[in-house]
Amino acid sequence: MDKKKINYWPYAIVASIFLMIVAITYTVKVAFDNPVQMDDFYFSEYHNVDDKINDILALQKKFDAKYSVVLDGKDFVQGTNAIRLQILDKKSQTPIKDAKIQLKITRPNTLKYDLELKPLSLKDGYYIFKPFQLKKPGRWQVLTKVKVGDLVGFQKIEVNATKQG
């Protein structure tokens, strides 16, 4: 008796095409569930930063040569925290009292927990910010944009928030 041989190649080709479609669909679903978060270190849109990065870096260099930014309150806890910021003239070590400050507390890789803080007052050379709540322990960043006259400086400080209690 002659048995007809079955050719499995067409089945393998159809199965591999089906598996590729499933893999592509899964990849697209994962990409939509986890969107790219834009880095806002310079407190501006990516395209604006890209267009003006040379000017931004030149101003940063001049700012760093003239001023230093001192953050008081680097130890965060899950719960209520406070932060103070001091801008010092590097030559005289005197506090700057007319700086315009933007401050953002953020977690790396997500914008979900961002907190933007504005200075409430100036006391003993420190800019005092209102107390804020951190909902999660772990890695956080303090982003600052400080403008003194025509100079602008940016700073990113990594902090770790520990569980309270």
Side-chain angles (χ1 to χ4, degrees), residues 41-55:
F41 173 60
Y42 292 107
F43 290 82
S44 186
E45 299 263 334
Y46 166 77
H47 298 293
N48 293 338
V49 173
D50 194 40
D51 290 342
K52 299 175 184 175
I53 190 65
N54 291 330
D55 298 333

Side-chain angles (χ1 to χ4, degrees), residues 146-163:
V146 179
K147 184 172 182 180
V148 180
D150 293 336
L151 299 180
V152 179
F154 299 91
Q155 189 175 35
K156 182 188 295 185
I157 301 166
E158 295 278 337
V159 292
N160 189 38
T162 57
K163 283 190 175 188

Side-chain angles (χ1 to χ4, degrees), residues 63-125:
F63 182 90
D64 289 342
K66 193 166 182 179
Y67 303 107
S68 62
V69 178
V70 179
L71 179 66
D72 185 33
K74 291 183 185 180
D75 297 324
F76 289 173
V77 294
Q78 182 180 359
T80 305
N81 294 275
I83 201 165
R84 300 183 326 158
L85 191 70
Q86 188 176 42
I87 317 300
L88 294 173
D89 185 298
K90 282 190 174 178
K91 285 184 183 175
S92 65
Q93 289 299 306
T94 57
I96 304 300
K97 297 179 180 170
D98 60 345
K100 292 185 172 114
I101 301 171
Q102 287 179 271
L103 187 134
K104 185 181 286 190
I105 312 289
T106 184
R107 285 181 69 86
N109 305 324
T110 184
L111 304 175
K112 184 177 179 181
Y113 302 103
D114 282 8
L115 301 168
E116 291 196 37
L117 305 175
K118 298 199 184 297
L120 295 175
S121 63
L122 180 66
K123 184 178 179 185
D124 299 327

